[in-house]
Amino acid sequence: MTGNHRNSTITRRRALAVTGGTVAAGGLAVAGHRSAFAGTTDTTEATASASATGTGACMTLMSSVTEGPYYLDGALVRKDITEGKSGVPLSLRLTVVDATDGCTPVKGAAVEIWHCDAWGYYSAYTTANPGGSAPAESEDGSTANDSTYLRGYQIANANGVVKFETIFPGWYTPRTCHIHVKVHTGGSKEDGTYEGGKVNHTGQLFFDDTVAEAVFALEPYSRHSGSYTTLDNDMVYDGGGTSSGLLTLQAVHKADPSKGYRGSLTLAIDPDAESTGAGGGGGGTPPSGAPSGSASPPAATPSSSAASSSSSASSASS
């Protein structure tokens, strides 16, 4: 696979600063969480060498990453977000800490994630063409635009930890493999959704190219043919390793990628900051048929006001 979709007009964000307890408004600090799954057996770590950052450091992004056109207000509070989607299992462990208070855990923070399926489709936006040659989204039994697969919230425990069960994301032109993330504080769980509060950060999580390419050679990913955009050629990832959202990954079985991966990262936020979701990282043209902004929840999906102020500011990069 080659990354031939680089937009040469994009200027990458490389403004990184190590802080001693302060972060820019809307900023996010991330550090490798290499011991997140200590004690598990038959695992191997797969992450870029550039991501080697101590968990005690607060490496701050100077601006948020764009929300993109595939956000859906009203995602459910749940640990398992697969909704029957097939793919390589992925267990995520994300830790939210306060960068303004010695990286102490942020209990009660709501972490929201969303990403595409194995063929590059997002729930509620299934008319968007993922590029290359991909099966129709409905071929795996999905219920088109009334679905909410691969979206959800979790509320951080006393240690600031949230966990998700999902699948390894696929890809679509012109983006690399990624997961979107928002961190909310000040709200509460209501009727299965997260209500109120504010968005402290909007960002994206990324995957090592070697791991991604091994996964994409497997079913059902292999049924999507075309040119995968590597990290170096992505319009959003800026090459900063974990400080730019690169996940630390461990294979469940070192000789068999189909068994799945465990991904981890520490997200250090400023609880007083508010993110508009319109951060840097470039835009680019969405796949054919992609929306230009946020959507309303599908029918019968509980509505949430958790990030209404940020969804209006989304740009064209997803």
Side-chain angles (χ1 to χ4, degrees):
M1 301 180 188
T2 59
N4 60 353
H5 294 289
R6 182 173 183 173
N7 186 335
S8 60
T9 65
I10 299 300
T11 299
R12 294 204 182 124
R13 299 172 298 106
R14 297 188 181 276
L16 300 175
V18 178
T19 70
T22 59
V23 296
L28 170 72
V30 290
H33 198 77
R34 298 183 184 279
S35 61
F37 300 99
T40 56
T41 59
D42 201 11
T43 62
T44 182
E45 185 175 335
T47 188
S49 59
S51 68
T53 305
T55 57
C58 286
M59 187 71 76
T60 306
L61 286 177
M62 300 308 292
S63 62
S64 295
V65 173
T66 181
E67 176 185 279
Y70 296 109
Y71 183 66
L72 179 64
D73 201 7
L76 302 175
V77 177
R78 55 186 179 175
K79 179 179 179 180
D80 188 335
I81 64 173
T82 55
E83 282 192 20
K85 276 290 180 178
S86 59
V88 170
L90 175 66
S91 297
L92 280 179
R93 176 187 172 114
L94 304 174
T95 304
V96 184
V97 298
D98 185 346
T100 69
D101 187 25
C103 292
T104 56
V106 182
K107 178 182 178 181
V111 179
E112 178 185 16
I113 65 170
W114 69 101
H115 63 84
C116 69
D117 68 5
W119 296 336
Y121 296 103
Y122 282 83
S123 59
Y125 297 105
T126 54
T127 59
N129 184 347
S133 178
E137 188 265 357
S138 59
E139 284 189 27
D140 71 350
S142 299
T143 54
N145 283 340
D146 62 351
S147 59
T148 57
Y149 58 78
L150 307 179
R151 301 177 183 271
Y153 283 86
Q154 278 287 276
I155 310 300
N157 63 18
N159 295 317
V161 173
V162 298
K163 298 178 182 180
F164 290 96
E165 297 299 330
T166 185
I167 62 169
F168 203 102
W171 61 274
Y172 58 93
T173 305
R175 292 299 317 283
T176 194
C177 181
H178 64 283
I179 291 176
H180 295 267
V181 59
K182 284 180 182 282
V183 181
H184 309 246
T185 57
S188 61
K189 180 180 176 181
E190 300 286 347
D191 298 326
T193 63
Y194 184 79
E195 303 285 346
K198 62 184 176 183
V199 178
N200 301 102
H201 186 79
T202 302
Q204 296 183 21
L205 309 177
F206 299 97
F207 296 80
D208 179 82
D209 287 330
T210 302
V211 176
E213 291 179 3
V215 169
F216 296 159
L218 305 173
E219 283 281 351
Y221 303 87
S222 60
R223 296 181 64 192
H224 183 190
S225 61
S227 296
Y228 166 68
T229 300
T230 61
L231 288 171
D232 285 345
N233 293 311
D234 188 60
M235 63 178 67
V236 176
Y237 179 69
D238 66 11
T242 53
S243 66
S244 300
L246 185 65
L247 289 164
T248 296
L249 295 172
Q250 294 177 325
V252 172
H253 192 291
K254 61 183 178 181
D256 187 356
S258 70
K259 298 296 184 182
Y261 291 86
R262 300 180 178 96
S264 59
L265 203 65
T266 295
L267 312 175
I269 67 165
D270 178 353
D272 294 326
E274 187 163 8
S275 169
T276 65
T285 303
S288 174
S292 59
S294 300
S296 299
T301 301
S303 178
S304 167
S305 59
S308 58
S309 63
S310 64
S311 59
S312 62
S314 64
S315 71
S317 172
S318 85

